[in-house]
Coordinates of all heavy atoms in Angstrom, one line a residue:
I7 N -49.3 -16.7 13.2 CA -49.6 -15.5 12.4 C -48.5 -15.4 11.4 O -47.3 -15.4 11.7 CB -49.5 -14.3 13.3 CG1 -50.6 -14.4 14.4 CG2 -49.8 -13.0 12.5 CD1 -50.6 -13.3 15.5
S8 N -48.9 -15.4 10.2 CA -47.9 -15.2 9.1 C -47.3 -13.8 9.0 O -48.1 -12.9 9.2 CB -48.5 -15.7 7.8 OG -49.5 -14.8 7.4
E9 N -46.1 -13.8 8.7 CA -45.4 -12.5 8.5 C -45.7 -12.0 7.1 O -46.0 -12.7 6.2 CB -43.9 -12.7 8.7 CG -43.5 -13.1 10.1 CD -42.0 -13.2 10.1 OE1 -41.2 -12.6 9.4 OE2 -41.5 -14.0 11.0
Q10 N -45.7 -10.7 7.1 CA -45.9 -10.0 5.8 C -44.6 -10.2 5.0 O -43.5 -9.9 5.4 CB -46.2 -8.5 6.0 CG -46.4 -7.8 4.8 CD -46.7 -6.3 5.0 OE1 -46.8 -5.9 6.1 NE2 -46.7 -5.5 3.9
I11 N -44.8 -10.8 3.8 CA -43.6 -11.1 3.0 C -43.3 -9.9 2.1 O -42.1 -9.6 1.9 CB -43.9 -12.4 2.2 CG1 -44.1 -13.6 3.0 CG2 -42.8 -12.6 1.1 CD1 -44.6 -14.8 2.3
V12 N -44.3 -9.3 1.7 CA -44.0 -8.1 0.7 C -44.0 -6.8 1.6 O -45.0 -6.5 2.1 CB -45.2 -8.0 -0.3 CG1 -44.9 -6.8 -1.2 CG2 -45.3 -9.3 -1.1
P13 N -42.8 -6.2 1.7 CA -42.8 -4.9 2.4 C -43.5 -3.8 1.7 O -43.4 -3.8 0.5 CB -41.3 -4.7 2.6 CG -40.6 -5.5 1.6 CD -41.6 -6.6 1.2
F14 N -44.2 -3.0 2.4 CA -44.8 -1.8 1.8 C -44.1 -0.6 2.3 O -43.5 -0.6 3.3 CB -46.3 -1.8 2.2 CG -47.1 -2.8 1.5 CD1 -47.4 -4.0 2.0 CD2 -47.5 -2.5 0.1 CE1 -48.1 -4.9 1.3 CE2 -48.2 -3.4 -0.6 CZ -48.6 -4.7 0.0
Y15 N -44.2 0.4 1.5 CA -43.5 1.7 1.8 C -44.6 2.8 1.8 O -45.6 2.5 1.3 CB -42.5 1.9 0.7 CG -41.4 0.9 0.6 CD1 -41.5 -0.1 -0.3 CD2 -40.3 0.9 1.5 CE1 -40.5 -1.2 -0.3 CE2 -39.3 -0.1 1.4 CZ -39.5 -1.1 0.5 OH -38.5 -2.1 0.5
S16 N -44.2 3.9 2.3 CA -45.2 5.0 2.4 C -44.8 6.0 1.3 O -43.7 6.0 0.6 CB -45.1 5.7 3.7 OG -43.9 6.3 3.9
A17 N -45.6 7.0 1.1 CA -45.3 8.1 0.2 C -44.1 8.8 0.6 O -43.3 9.3 -0.1 CB -46.5 9.0 0.1
A18 N -43.8 8.8 1.9 CA -42.6 9.5 2.5 C -41.4 8.8 1.9 O -40.4 9.5 1.7 CB -42.6 9.4 4.0
D19 N -41.4 7.5 1.7 CA -40.2 6.8 1.2 C -40.0 7.2 -0.3 O -38.9 7.4 -0.7 CB -40.4 5.3 1.3 CG -40.5 4.8 2.6 OD1 -39.6 5.2 3.5 OD2 -41.4 4.0 2.9
V20 N -41.1 7.4 -1.0 CA -41.0 7.8 -2.4 C -40.5 9.3 -2.4 O -39.6 9.6 -3.3 CB -42.4 7.7 -3.2 CG1 -42.3 8.2 -4.6 CG2 -42.8 6.2 -3.2
I21 N -41.1 10.1 -1.5 CA -40.6 11.6 -1.5 C -39.1 11.6 -1.2 O -38.4 12.3 -1.8 CB -41.4 12.3 -0.5 CG1 -42.9 12.5 -0.9 CG2 -40.8 13.7 -0.2 CD1 -43.8 13.0 0.2
S22 N -38.7 10.7 -0.3 CA -37.2 10.7 0.1 C -36.4 10.3 -1.1 O -35.3 10.9 -1.3 CB -37.1 9.7 1.3 OG -35.7 9.6 1.6
A23 N -36.9 9.3 -1.9 CA -36.1 8.9 -3.1 C -36.0 10.0 -4.1 O -35.0 10.3 -4.7 CB -36.7 7.6 -3.7
Y24 N -37.2 10.7 -4.3 CA -37.2 11.8 -5.3 C -36.3 13.0 -4.8 O -35.7 13.6 -5.6 CB -38.6 12.3 -5.6 CG -39.3 11.5 -6.7 CD1 -40.5 10.8 -6.4 CD2 -38.8 11.5 -8.0 CE1 -41.1 10.1 -7.4 CE2 -39.5 10.8 -9.0 CZ -40.6 10.1 -8.7 OH -41.3 9.4 -9.7
S25 N -36.4 13.2 -3.5 CA -35.5 14.3 -2.9 C -34.1 14.0 -3.1 O -33.3 14.9 -3.4 CB -35.8 14.4 -1.4 OG -37.2 14.9 -1.2
L26 N -33.7 12.7 -2.9 CA -32.3 12.3 -3.1 C -31.9 12.5 -4.5 O -30.8 13.1 -4.8 CB -32.1 10.9 -2.7 CG -30.7 10.3 -2.9 CD1 -29.6 11.1 -2.1 CD2 -30.7 8.8 -2.6
A27 N -32.8 12.1 -5.5 CA -32.5 12.3 -6.9 C -32.4 13.8 -7.2 O -31.5 14.3 -8.0 CB -33.6 11.7 -7.7
L28 N -33.2 14.6 -6.6 CA -33.2 16.1 -6.9 C -31.9 16.7 -6.3 O -31.3 17.5 -6.9 CB -34.5 16.8 -6.2 CG -34.5 18.3 -6.2 CD1 -34.5 18.8 -7.6 CD2 -35.7 18.8 -5.4
D29 N -31.5 16.3 -5.1 CA -30.3 16.9 -4.4 C -29.1 16.5 -5.3 O -28.3 17.4 -5.4 CB -30.2 16.4 -3.0 CG -31.2 16.9 -2.1 OD1 -31.9 18.0 -2.5 OD2 -31.4 16.4 -1.0
T30 N -29.0 15.3 -5.7 CA -27.8 14.9 -6.4 C -27.7 15.5 -7.8 O -26.7 15.9 -8.2 CB -27.7 13.3 -6.6 OG1 -28.9 12.8 -7.2 CG2 -27.5 12.7 -5.3
T31 N -28.9 15.7 -8.4 CA -28.9 16.4 -9.7 C -28.6 17.9 -9.6 O -27.9 18.4 -10.3 CB -30.3 16.2 -10.4 OG1 -30.6 14.8 -10.4 CG2 -30.3 16.8 -11.8
T32 N -29.0 18.5 -8.4 CA -28.7 19.8 -8.2 C -27.2 20.0 -7.9 O -26.6 21.0 -8.3 CB -29.6 20.3 -7.0 OG1 -30.9 20.2 -7.3 CG2 -29.3 21.8 -6.7
Q33 N -26.6 19.1 -7.3 CA -25.1 19.1 -7.0 C -24.4 19.2 -8.4 O -23.5 20.0 -8.5 CB -24.7 17.9 -6.2 CG -25.1 17.9 -4.8 CD -24.7 16.5 -4.2 OE1 -24.1 15.6 -4.8 NE2 -25.0 16.3 -3.0
I34 N -24.8 18.3 -9.3 CA -24.1 18.3 -10.6 C -24.5 19.6 -11.3 O -23.5 20.2 -12.0 CB -24.6 17.1 -11.4 CG1 -24.3 15.8 -10.7 CG2 -24.0 17.1 -12.8 CD1 -22.8 15.6 -10.4
Q35 N -25.6 20.1 -11.2 CA -26.1 21.4 -11.8 C -25.2 22.5 -11.4 O -24.7 23.3 -12.2 CB -27.5 21.6 -11.5 CG -28.3 22.5 -12.3 CD -29.7 22.5 -11.9 OE1 -30.1 22.4 -10.8 NE2 -30.6 22.4 -12.9
T36 N -24.9 22.5 -10.1 CA -24.0 23.6 -9.6 C -22.6 23.5 -10.1 O -22.0 24.5 -10.5 CB -24.0 23.5 -8.0 OG1 -25.3 23.6 -7.5 CG2 -23.0 24.5 -7.4
L37 N -22.1 22.3 -10.3 CA -20.8 22.1 -10.8 C -20.8 22.5 -12.3 O -19.8 23.1 -12.8 CB -20.3 20.8 -10.6 CG -19.8 20.4 -9.2 CD1 -19.7 18.8 -9.1 CD2 -18.5 21.1 -8.9
I38 N -21.8 22.2 -13.0 CA -21.9 22.5 -14.4 C -21.9 24.1 -14.6 O -21.2 24.6 -15.4 CB -23.2 21.9 -15.1 CG1 -23.0 20.4 -15.2 CG2 -23.4 22.6 -16.4 CD1 -24.3 19.7 -15.5
D39 N -22.6 24.8 -13.7 CA -22.6 26.2 -13.7 C -21.2 26.8 -13.5 O -20.8 27.8 -14.1 CB -23.6 26.8 -12.7 CG -25.0 26.6 -13.1 OD1 -25.3 26.3 -14.3 OD2 -25.9 26.7 -12.1

Side-chain angles (χ1 to χ4, degrees):
I7 301 173
S8 64
E9 295 179 27
Q10 181 180 352
I11 297 173
V12 179
F14 285 97
Y15 301 94
S16 68
D19 296 313
V20 175
I21 292 169
S22 178
Y24 275 119
S25 293
L26 179 61
L28 175 61
D29 290 346
T30 56
T31 305
T32 303
Q33 290 172 0
I34 301 301
Q35 202 172 40
T36 300
L37 286 166
I38 291 166
D39 289 342

